[in-house]
Amino acid sequence: AQRCTINIELVADNYKDLRGKIAGPPDTPYEGGTFHLEIKVPETYPFSPPKVKFLTRIWHPNISSATGAICLDILKDQAAAMTLRTVLLSLQALLAAAEPDDPQDAVVARQYKENHSLFFKTAQYWTYFHAGGEKKNTDFAEKVRNLKDMGVNEMQALVALSTCDWELVQAIDQLFS
């Protein structure tokens, strides 16, 4: 049985506050992950687009790794024509085809452009860590554990290492400077 790839539900019977769910597309580092979204529907919908952000943390050039905010021109351009389903499908497409020249997260975009294989592994590890993906990475997990042993919170450790291209010494420097 194939997992439902997108899904929308109401929060507390309020049609203006919805939760979306998308599956990471196959052949991407997000494969196997389930990503939860917050969807706020404005009074003026469908003339203004819904406001969407990722609740599940994700490593992607067009999505803030800190806040889940999305850099999305697709929502601005054809807002009136987009159903909520189309919005989720276009986000799923964005996961499969990042646009690093229009980044929301400059650090991720730099890694995407300068060290794509490391970006891929990092995005895959974030998917495992936050979104239930299957692809473990014992090397990355070990480095996160090293920092945890120094009293660093697990999330901060993950962010620092990801940001420093998994160079432990650099991450320590960044965390303790």
Side-chain angles (χ1 to χ4, degrees), residues 94-170:
L94 183 69
L95 293 189
E99 304 200 7
D101 293 324
D102 187 16
Q104 175 77 27
D105 196 310
V107 173
V108 182
R110 178 189 53 78
Q111 191 183 70
Y112 183 97
K113 289 166 122 171
E114 291 173 9
N115 192 341
H116 194 78
S117 67
L118 189 65
F119 158 79
F120 196 95
K121 282 197 273 207
T122 303
Q124 209 167 46
Y125 189 67
W126 278 54
T127 301
Y128 164 74
F129 195 91
H130 292 291
E134 286 100 59
K135 298 273 194 302
K136 282 201 199 63
N137 185 317
T138 43
D139 179 39
F140 288 0
E142 184 60 37
K143 288 178 175 177
V144 171
R145 205 169 22 255
N146 289 150
L147 289 178
K148 271 179 69 181
D149 292 345
M150 296 177 186
V152 177
N153 150 321
E154 192 172 34
M155 246 337 288
Q156 285 175 315
L158 177 62
V159 170
L161 285 161
S162 301
T163 305
C164 295
D165 293 343
W166 296 92
E167 298 290 339
L168 192 55
V169 175
Q170 246 179 294

